[in-house]
Amino acid sequence: MPAHNTEIADALDQVADLLELEQGNPFRIRAYRNAARVVRGLGTEVASLLARGEDLPKVRGIGADLAGKIKELATRERLPLLDELRRHVPAIALELLRLPNLGPKRVKLLCEKLHIHSVEQLHRALLDGRVRTLPGFGAGIEKKLLEAIEERSHVPSRFKLAAVEGLAAPLIDHLRKAPGVGQVTVAGSYRRCQETVGDIDIVATAAKGPPVTTWFTQYPEVVRVAAAGDTRATVVLRSGLQVDLRIVPEESYGAALHYFTGSKAHNIAIRRLGQENGLKINEYGVFRGRRRIGGETEAEVYKAVDLPFIPPELRENRGEIEAAAAHRLPKLVELADLRGDLHVHSTATDGHNTIEEMVEAARALGLGYIAITEHSRHLAMAHGLDPARLRRQVAEIDRLNAHIGPFTVLRGIEVDILEDGKLDLPDSALAELDLVVAAVHSRFNLSREQQTERILRAMERPHFTILAHPTGRLIGEREPYDVDMPRLIDAARERGCFLELNAHPDRLDLTDTHCRMAKEAGVLVSIASDAHRDTELSYLRFGVGQARRGWLSPEDVLNARPLEELRPLLRRTIA
Ligand code: DGT
Ligand code: CA
Ligand code: CA
């Protein structure tokens, strides 16, 4: 894709900015600014001119050299000069240049007079009133900069659970080697298995805090130490993820873990229960007056308010405290409860491993069955199956089942739900299968009414078994399509079909609240990896975390059933 004139002009302006920061030749700087203005004002796109074999119009002040640079930019070639300048100029200057009202002159003043090395330092200098003392900075600019910085820092930048897992594991390994450290546990939203995490909160125990906080801030991935004291520290990792560490004595471990696991709403409710019983509950322990009566374990915190232990995934103050008090907490599903996986791809469509390889990986995880569910022909990009290819795959699966021993490959499909609610393959083809996973992969923007009707119509088909990733959302990338979930759940119950909880960490679709709705309606949920390669079968663990947040017990989970109990459930009787 060729560059637009505005992009070319921005690059030229950037060169001018950087030259100015570097105290370059004023004539050269002016030439680049002039060229930027000219390009911005041109009636035609430079790229189209070049594509037609024409040359740039002759403009005063744009010589052969600059014209050459403009052409390079138009065809998206990199400008070596710009790369070179970017390397020389300090990163903070580049960052400051992106703020409103800050050109090279003002950036230079900030860096040289106020020694600003980070946007946070600029923020502090603005708040202290130091910035407005500089020549050329008035109250108006001060206000605009403050607004821009504060708005920027309010933009929620949350990390997906799987990404945090990858970042937290080596950090925890590092912390376990800290001098004098005892327990090291990740608390916060990560421990509650929330689908995204704002920052990691770690609770550690040690008799002496300082050696541990020092060790923590020396972790090689740390790019910034935001705060460091004797018992707490906050750092930012190279990935941008913030980490809060709290160090407490062993006797406070349970109380601190409880406090920093949250959620805040759950904590507040528990603390209020304590107050009603004349207790003070904080991150150091449970106290009656000045006497500590517990806090070494989380169980002691709950016991103090006459409650059984509440699993972290439930701690959102969404009824778990009442349920605990009534001894009606669900026994939550665990990874080990899963017997199989009902949504798996292979090389026949867009997967990366053969069916045999997927079987081996599933066996290694302790599963007893998988369903091969390739895409159907409508998904041409994924090389989806038509009836003939599906028939061949079914024959291949039958052959495989005959010699793989105590493991079963179920014959499935991930069939597209077409816009009119029809399925992408005829009933005659679907009738040959053990199960039909049906999915919306197109027309995400239908109205709520149309989208709901579309899926309900698909559910009417006699072989429809499971609705895959029921809302189509991709966390942080694509909003869910608009659909009436309570109606889908009701329909699933009436028709004997099931909903999928897609465990891919970008999806986690169903949400926790929808899982709970399905459970209350008596609709079973299939926790499925949607694996496209053997390593992705382990995504099931994220699905289990989400299912636990949705209060699901093993009885609520379709694939927590052994094959002989599963089979009759997959057979629908609607004709
Ligand atoms: P996040 O980081 O946005 O994904 O969510 P959390 O839940 O990890 O929240 P965070 O990191 O701000 O705080 C960690 C825990 O600390 C939180 O879940 C509960 C506890 N906490 C934080 N602030 C307060 C507070 O003002 N009161 C109480 N009771 N607890 C708090
Ligand atoms: Ca957190
Ligand atoms: Ca935090």
Side-chain angles (χ1 to χ4, degrees), residues 158 186-190 192 194 196-202 242 244 260-261:
R158 302 185 61 85
V186 184
S189 51
Y190 179 79
R192 302 197 313 277
Q194 222 173 262
T196 64
V197 166
D199 69 2
I200 327 188
D201 308 278
I202 300 177
Q242 179 179 307
D244 289 340
F260 290 106
T261 296

Side-chain angles (χ1 to χ4, degrees), residues 96-415:
L96 294 181
L97 275 175
R98 282 198 290 270
L99 289 171
N101 297 69
L102 288 190
K105 282 199 193 68
R106 289 194 177 122
V107 167
K108 253 170 56 188
L109 276 173
L110 289 171
C111 292
E112 285 166 10
K113 302 276 185 238
L114 296 184
H115 308 289
I116 301 290
H117 294 294
S118 70
V119 174
E120 268 119 74
Q121 285 177 344
L122 175 60
H123 190 216
R124 237 168 293 141
L126 284 161
L127 294 174
D128 300 348
R130 275 177 287 147
V131 172
R132 73 170 86 165
T133 62
L134 296 175
F137 282 84
I141 292 178
E142 183 185 72
K143 186 161 168 283
K144 280 223 177 72
L145 283 174
L146 268 174
E147 280 169 4
I149 292 175
E150 284 169 4
E151 187 176 323
R152 232 171 57 151
S153 54
H154 283 161
V155 172
S157 69
R158 302 185 61 85
F159 288 71
K160 290 176 204 167
L161 195 60
V164 176
E165 184 188 78
L167 297 167
L171 171 57
I172 293 299
D173 285 346
H174 173 83
L175 274 173
R176 294 227 157 96
K177 296 181 207 125
V181 83
Q183 314 257 17
V184 181
T185 309
V186 184
S189 51
Y190 179 79
R191 184 165 178 243
R192 302 197 313 277
C193 288
Q194 222 173 262
E195 55 200 32
T196 64
V197 166
D199 69 2
I200 327 188
D201 308 278
I202 300 177
V203 176
T205 59
K208 288 203 194 79
V212 182
T213 52
T214 306
W215 180 265
F216 171 61
T217 57
Q218 284 165 355
Y219 182 55
E221 288 291 306
V222 169
V223 287
R224 198 159 65 75
V225 178
D230 289 349
T231 59
R232 63 169 74 190
T234 297
V235 301
V236 179
L237 304 182
R238 201 178 303 282
S239 54
L241 183 64
Q242 179 179 307
V243 187
D244 289 340
L245 172 69
R246 273 298 280 266
I247 298 155
V248 295
E250 202 67 45
E251 67 206 21
S252 298
Y253 173 67
L257 187 57
H258 182 261
Y259 182 92
F260 290 106
T261 296
S263 67
K264 191 170 162 182
H266 175 90
N267 287 357
I268 289 171
I270 294 291
R271 203 164 44 200
R272 193 171 302 133
L273 275 182
Q275 278 161 358
E276 286 165 12
N277 295 324
L279 300 174
K280 193 169 102 189
I281 300 175
N282 57 29
E283 62 264 53
Y284 301 105
V286 182
F287 301 89
R288 187 177 299 283
R290 292 177 129 187
R291 199 166 62 87
R292 161 197 299 279
I293 63 159
E296 190 167 348
T297 65
E298 278 191 319
E300 284 177 10
V301 175
Y302 286 110
K303 190 155 177 287
V305 289
D306 287 325
L307 292 178
F309 179 83
I310 299 179
E313 296 90 339
L314 296 184
R315 299 182 195 168
E316 300 290 344
N317 200 19
R318 293 192 292 211
E320 73 280 8
I321 296 174
E322 295 76 0
H327 297 281
R328 275 206 288 271
L329 278 178
K331 180 198 170 300
L332 297 181
V333 62
E334 292 173 17
L335 188 56
D337 293 322
L338 300 190
R339 304 297 191 92
D341 188 339
L342 298 177
H343 187 160
V344 174
H345 295 269
S346 82
T347 44
T349 57
D350 59 349
H352 296 265
N353 289 98
T354 62
I355 299 178
E356 285 94 331
E357 287 164 347
M358 297 308 271
V359 167
E360 279 324 302
R363 265 200 176 127
L365 291 177
L367 301 180
Y369 56 85
I370 56 174
I372 295 297
T373 53
E374 306 287 10
H375 292 290
S376 62
R377 59 191 170 188
H378 186 251
L379 216 58
M381 236 168 36
H383 196 44
L385 302 185
D386 59 18
R389 285 175 62 215
L390 178 59
R391 209 172 310 122
R392 283 202 293 279
Q393 187 178 63
V394 164
E396 182 194 340
I397 289 174
D398 289 347
R399 277 195 301 277
L400 190 61
N401 275 327
H403 70 79
I404 52 173
F407 190 95
T408 302
V409 181
L410 294 167
R411 301 167 293 189
I413 185 85
E414 179 181 5
V415 67

Side-chain angles (χ1 to χ4, degrees), residues 22-53:
E22 293 260 271
Q23 305 198 285
N25 175 336
F27 293 105
R28 204 163 161 225
I29 297 168
R30 212 170 307 142
Y32 273 96
R33 293 233 188 274
N34 181 37
R37 203 174 47 245
V38 168
V39 171
R40 226 175 243 118
L42 279 180
T44 7
E45 292 278 327
V46 173
S48 347
L49 284 177
L50 296 179
R52 289 200 297 268

